[in-house]
Amino acid sequence: MAEKNEFTDINGKAILLDCQNYSSFCREFTVSSPKVSLCKVIVCTCSVWLFAYAVFFVTENTAVLSSAIIITLVGMMMHIHLVKVEHETLLIIGSLGVQLSTSYASGRESTTFIEMSRIKDIVINEAVYMQSIIYYLCILIKDSGDPNGIASVVPLFQSSKPRLNCLVQVYKSCQAIIAQTR
Amino acid sequence: MVLKIFFPTCCNTADSGLLIGRWIPGQDSAVVLAVIHYPFIPGQVKKYLSETQNQSQVDLAVLGSWSLPKDGQEGMDSFLKDLSTIFPNSRWLQLSREIGKRGFACQVVHNRITPPDPAQGGTDKKDQIIFIHYDQRKVMLSQLHPIHEESPGEESSELRAVFHTVAQSGPLFLLDRYDEGPLKLTHWQSEGREASIVVELSKQAVFLCLCMIACVFVILNIWPVQFISSKMSTCVQTAYRTNHFQTVFSTKKATSHMEFMRKANIFVSFLVDMSLGLLLVSWLYRENHISQLANTLVKLSLYRFFLYHIHLWISYIRLMSPFIEMILWYVGLSACLGLTFALSVLSDIVALLTFHIYCFYVYGARLYCLKVYGLSSLWRLFCGKKWNVLRQRVDSCSYDLDQLFIGTLLFTILLFLLPTTALYYLVFTLLRLVVVMFQGVIHLAIDLINSFPLFAMGLRLCRSYRLAEGVKFRVLCEEPGTPLHLMMEINPLKCSSVLQRYRTPTYSCYPRDSWVDLCKKLFMGELIYPWKHKTTKTD
């Protein structure tokens, strides 16, 4: 069963949280970021081309225009392939592990899987970010040497940055599954 | 408790039979490796399992039964129940699947030897089961990174245990359902045997003849030859390649994954190097390129340094000019040994032709250095101070009048000679830096060709499942009431990690000085040496 909820991220933009319940110990959470806005694309492209036309007007060199076109195209392709995140997914499978997946606007997907034996806990942490304090969900990884220590912290939903109400919902479901299957 | 069963995709449509696999110790999971079909004799199954266990060092067991009822095979249920008594185990899995449905049904029968402990909750809780489907061939060939070399007696990681089990079970996959024998198995080989007689024969042939070539190489160990050869990049490159030959064509088989990858990388990079060298040779010996190159070199050496040339050097070049073309022709043949060889020969030729620049640079630098030290010392005298060598600091000192007089005179002379010396030094240093930059670029190119792991990159691009960073799971669409089914796929290693892990170590080391140190040295007039090679230390 799937459940869609609308939340906002720390900057005020609307994001979508989709919870899919495959079984009592397997759940998938997908946070979708807002898509690339057409206005922003048009504004960027027009400003770059106007600037290029002004330079062409001064220098009378057609290479400026063609290079501006190429720069715009390459810049847009790099942006949707490397920067623009479409949605981030967290798949938690009780007693097996947690899978984090980021899918970009160009269709590229980058996935990591963390086994349950390496996970100490999933917690909500606070961080100082510029002039504000934000909450983020993270996975604590066990340290192989020290049984009480933490080797590293893996933050989740880095690009979409949901607010606390969304994080609490994900946190409760994850804790329920971990407690049930430990 | 959640029970995880790793099921190979090749057995999804196998006929009914027994499941062979391994229970992962310490975890609640089992890896299914093959299915033995009906009819069979239990005694023969046990004998085959113990034989395979001895060969592969994997503790195999009969995990349970698999039933995919086809027409005319009803009434299996009672037969399946009887089997659990013949193969005693703490748990017996009864997996079944109906044609047309995608989900499996599973029942776990616990054969407890001791009765359940009432303090732990008494009755058995209903087991929750996850089926994880995996591609057996890919998991068998894959290598999980980061590589742990120690023999895994106790695997704390479940996935590593699964990969290790499948990789070690090679002997189990030799017998197939199509073979004539008492037992018929289904595993990944049932999808089509992979073997090529051409590949096998060529492996034997290459091995033999290259062993002979490796014995031919002899390294000279006399000291003067060793000193000169350590300065010439051609000789260093030859020694490096000889080392590689010995590694690749040694009779020992590669025991670990890293050794195999290193051998393969060296071999592929050597082949590519040779082919590039032959390409260069074919271009060079066409359309008179050699004579054009000879002409340019002669012109460069005569015109560029006209004013600063020693007469000996001019006459030497004039003597050599009719022979340069022929020398270049024969030297160009050395490109057959590889592009890196040709580049190192080029670097050595440049070093030899610009030897006079090196000499002038050294003279100019030494003069300038002396002048700067003299000036600074006399300036301190002028101020009434002295450099204390013992304490490594500047102390005040009272000088005699005649010392002061001579000191001031010398200071004035040196000061007025400073612009001339500085200008000579500047010009020669700039020329020397240009030559050093050019040689540096050539050495960078050689280093790149030497160290780039072509085989590993090729493997990553063409057979990405061989180098695994981890795994990916995908939930397969399920029908309600059936256990959860997941598809396990291999997550290949990132290209940057491949480059970092599998780089062949080379002999060059990068400069230790930063840009600031370099500028300081230039200002003070200290000599700058080009990038040194890593020397192998012998005790």
Side-chain angles (χ1 to χ4, degrees):
Chain A
M1 344 149 210
E3 228 179 79
K4 278 195 205 263
N5 289 325
E6 282 210 13
F7 291 97
T8 53
D9 71 354
I10 57 171
N11 296 323
K13 295 201 201 80
I15 54 171
L16 208 66
L17 175 70
D18 184 8
C19 308
Q20 186 108 1
N21 230 347
Y22 292 113
S23 133
S24 64
F25 51 86
C26 177
R27 263 178 224 156
E28 189 176 30
F29 300 97
T30 309
V31 176
S32 319
S33 309
K35 308 244 191 277
V36 182
S37 78
L38 201 58
C39 297
K40 229 173 137 191
V41 170
I42 291 176
V43 161
C44 276
T45 322
C46 285
S47 54
V48 169
W49 285 353
L50 277 173
F51 177 71
Y53 194 71
V55 174
F56 167 70
F57 196 67
V58 169
T59 58
E60 303 286 335
N61 188 1
T62 50
V64 172
L65 290 176
S66 32
S67 58
I69 294 175
I70 292 174
I71 288 172
T72 325
L73 280 174
V74 170
M76 273 206 280
M77 285 201 290
M78 303 242 313
H79 182 80
I80 62 170
H81 192 72
L82 298 172
V83 175
K84 181 77 189 119
V85 168
E86 203 185 325
H87 44 249
E88 289 170 297
T89 313
L90 171 77
L91 172 67
I92 177 159
I93 308 164
S95 90
L96 194 61
V98 174
Q99 177 169 291
L100 315 168
S101 164
T102 312
S103 89
Y104 294 85
S106 64
R108 176 170 82 103
E109 278 208 28
S110 119
T111 319
T112 37
F113 179 74
I114 305 171
E115 284 182 79
M116 204 48 106
S117 55
R118 284 180 61 208
I119 294 179
K120 189 153 194 266
D121 205 357
I122 300 184
V123 296
I124 296 183
N125 236 350
E126 288 175 330
V128 179
Y129 182 69
M130 305 284 253
Q131 79 289 357
S132 51
I133 298 181
I134 59 163
Y135 297 99
Y136 65 98
L137 194 65
C138 60
I139 300 179
L140 306 174
I141 310 279
K142 278 186 201 159
D143 190 7
S144 48
D146 179 18
N148 285 334
I150 296 165
S152 59
V153 170
V154 178
L156 307 174
F157 304 125
Q158 285 283 73
S159 311
S160 16
K161 300 196 190 70
R163 281 205 168 150
L164 190 61
N165 42 9
C166 174
L167 292 178
V168 163
Q169 197 172 339
V170 179
Y171 171 79
K172 280 187 182 161
S173 310
C174 291
Q175 286 292 332
I177 291 178
I178 292 179
Q180 185 189 3
T181 54
R182 203 176 274 280
Chain B
M1 272 317 295
V2 182
L3 184 64
K4 288 158 275 193
I5 302 176
F6 289 84
F7 199 81
T9 47
C10 47
C11 295
N12 274 348
T13 48
D15 290 334
S16 312
L18 283 177
L19 295 168
I20 307 289
R22 179 184 181 223
W23 285 100
I24 311 258
Q27 323 269 356
D28 242 339
S29 41
V31 182
V32 174
L33 293 167
V35 175
I36 296 184
H37 300 297
Y38 303 126
F40 54 81
I41 303 172
Q44 276 183 338
V45 171
K46 286 189 193 174
K47 192 174 108 177
Y48 178 67
L49 277 185
S50 61
E51 272 170 18
T52 324
Q53 202 163 323
N54 286 337
Q55 277 181 340
S56 65
Q57 315 298 324
V58 174
D59 46 340
L60 300 167
V62 178
L63 300 173
S65 63
W66 163 251
S67 98
L68 181 66
K70 301 224 164 95
D71 306 324
Q73 278 187 352
E74 292 87 11
M76 279 285 184
D77 292 341
S78 53
F79 183 53
L80 295 171
K81 277 237 163 52
D82 294 333
L83 284 176
S84 62
T85 49
I86 304 176
F87 299 104
N89 223 333
S90 61
R91 274 178 286 202
W92 181 261
L93 304 169
Q94 288 172 352
L95 289 144
S96 63
R97 184 186 173 191
E98 284 166 50
I99 300 176
K101 279 202 181 162
R102 294 180 64 180
F104 297 175
C106 179
Q107 220 180 335
V108 182
V109 175
H110 290 261
N111 295 336
R112 286 208 191 269
I113 302 165
T114 56
D117 188 4
Q120 278 177 6
T123 52
D124 298 324
K125 278 198 282 237
K126 184 156 186 332
D127 285 316
Q128 289 167 319
I129 301 164
I130 308 180
F131 283 101
I132 301 170
H133 298 263
Y134 69 96
D135 188 330
Q136 199 166 45
R137 184 179 147 260
K138 288 192 177 168
V139 170
M140 192 178 82
L141 292 173
S142 170
Q143 172 71 40
L144 208 54
H145 294 78
I147 303 169
H148 288 168
E149 290 289 343
E150 78 276 3
S151 62
E154 279 296 314
E155 283 279 14
S156 59
S157 162
E158 189 177 15
L159 286 174
R160 262 182 204 279
V162 170
F163 274 71
H164 181 75
T165 310
V166 180
Q168 295 288 96
S169 313
L172 181 65
F173 302 134
L174 292 173
L175 208 58
D176 199 352
R177 64 197 278 199
Y178 303 113
D179 286 330
E180 296 294 328
L183 296 174
K184 301 212 181 299
L185 283 95
T186 299
H187 41 69
W188 68 273
Q189 293 272 37
S190 318
E191 289 176 349
R193 280 281 173 94
E194 281 193 17
S196 164
I197 199 157
V198 177
V199 170
E200 294 295 319
L201 282 176
S202 58
K203 269 192 217 168
Q204 304 284 338
V206 162
F207 194 56
L208 280 170
C209 60
L210 290 173
C211 270
M212 290 194 291
I213 294 177
C215 306
V216 173
F217 282 94
V218 174
I219 303 171
L220 296 165
N221 264 330
I222 318 166
W223 182 82
V225 181
Q226 215 178 14
F227 177 71
I228 295 174
S229 62
S230 70
K231 297 288 173 226
M232 308 251 308
S233 52
T234 320
C235 303
V236 177
Q237 179 70 12
T238 325
Y240 179 67
R241 279 285 183 223
T242 325
N243 266 343
H244 278 180
F245 276 138
Q246 286 173 349
T247 331
V248 174
F249 303 128
S250 66
T251 46
K252 249 180 358 108
K253 210 170 164 337
T255 44
S256 72
H257 173 80
M258 280 308 281
E259 270 181 45
F260 165 70
M261 290 300 281
R262 183 159 296 170
K263 272 194 178 184
N265 277 330
I266 290 173
F267 187 63
V268 174
S269 119
F270 176 66
L271 278 179
V272 171
D273 195 19
M274 291 276 272
S275 48
L276 285 174
L278 287 170
L279 219 79
L280 179 71
V281 162
S282 67
W283 173 82
L284 212 57
Y285 289 92
R286 241 192 294 146
E287 298 166 8
N288 257 348
H289 280 136
I290 291 267
S291 53
Q292 284 176 17
L293 205 64
N295 280 337
T296 341
L297 280 172
V298 170
K299 261 194 270 186
L300 274 178
S301 35
L302 278 180
Y303 291 155
R304 187 77 59 84
F305 313 109
F306 190 63
L307 288 174
Y308 301 94
H309 230 85
I310 308 174
H311 287 293
L312 198 65
W313 196 259
I314 296 175
S315 48
Y316 170 68
I317 290 290
R318 280 210 189 121
L319 213 75
M320 290 287 290
S321 58
F323 297 111
I324 281 186
E325 184 172 339
M326 200 156 54
I327 291 175
L328 219 58
W329 207 94
Y330 285 111
V331 165
L333 276 179
S334 69
C336 287
L337 289 168
L339 185 66
T340 46
F341 204 78
L343 284 175
S344 21
V345 165
L346 179 68
S347 163
D348 285 333
I349 288 177
V350 165
L352 283 174
L353 281 180
T354 58
F355 187 66
H356 54 298
I357 299 180
Y358 178 61
C359 290
F360 283 133
Y361 163 71
V362 172
Y363 305 149
R366 288 270 186 243
L367 273 174
Y368 178 76
C369 185
L370 273 172
K371 178 148 294 171
V372 165
Y373 274 117
L375 271 173
S376 54
S377 166
L378 289 170
W379 173 253
R380 274 185 233 118
L381 179 138
F382 197 69
C383 293
K385 294 202 196 297
K386 198 176 90 160
W387 174 255
N388 191 340
V389 185
L390 200 64
R391 293 288 184 102
Q392 294 286 316
R393 66 173 187 202
V394 179
D395 282 337
S396 61
C397 171
S398 58
Y399 290 100
D400 296 335
L401 196 62
D402 46 355
Q403 283 175 329
L404 277 174
F405 182 62
I406 295 178
T408 318
L409 258 177
L410 283 172
F411 177 74
T412 330
I413 295 171
L414 282 178
L415 189 66
F416 285 121
L417 284 175
L418 184 66
T420 323
T421 341
L423 200 66
Y424 269 97
Y425 173 66
L426 186 72
V427 169
F428 294 142
T429 314
L430 281 174
L431 284 172
R432 177 77 188 138
L433 280 177
V434 164
V435 172
V436 166
M437 295 284 185
F438 183 66
Q439 275 192 303
V441 165
I442 294 182
H443 281 274
L444 263 179
I446 296 176
D447 193 43
L448 186 72
I449 299 178
N450 273 340
S451 69
F452 193 79
L454 279 166
F455 180 72
M457 278 310 273
L459 208 61
R460 165 71 184 85
L461 293 172
C462 304
R463 302 254 186 278
S464 52
Y465 57 83
R466 292 281 300 260
L467 304 168
E469 193 180 21
V471 291
K472 284 195 275 220
F473 288 95
R474 198 164 39 99
V475 181
L476 297 172
C477 55
E478 78 282 7
E479 290 130 23
T482 54
L484 184 67
H485 287 262
L486 298 169
M487 180 74 200
M488 181 170 92
E489 281 153 11
I490 294 181
N491 201 9
L493 206 55
K494 283 197 260 283
C495 290
S496 49
S497 310
V498 171
L499 277 177
Q500 199 192 350
R501 270 177 212 281
Y502 292 109
R503 278 192 79 218
T504 323
T506 54
Y507 51 76
S508 64
C509 55
Y510 292 100
R512 275 165 279 142
D513 300 326
S514 62
W515 288 105
V516 177
D517 289 331
L518 184 72
C519 290
K520 247 204 270 184
K521 275 194 179 172
L522 280 174
F523 191 70
M524 291 306 293
E526 283 173 35
L527 286 176
I528 302 163
Y529 296 102
W531 298 341
K532 281 212 155 67
H533 300 307
K534 260 191 267 195
T535 47
T536 50
K537 292 194 170 52
T538 50
D539 293 301

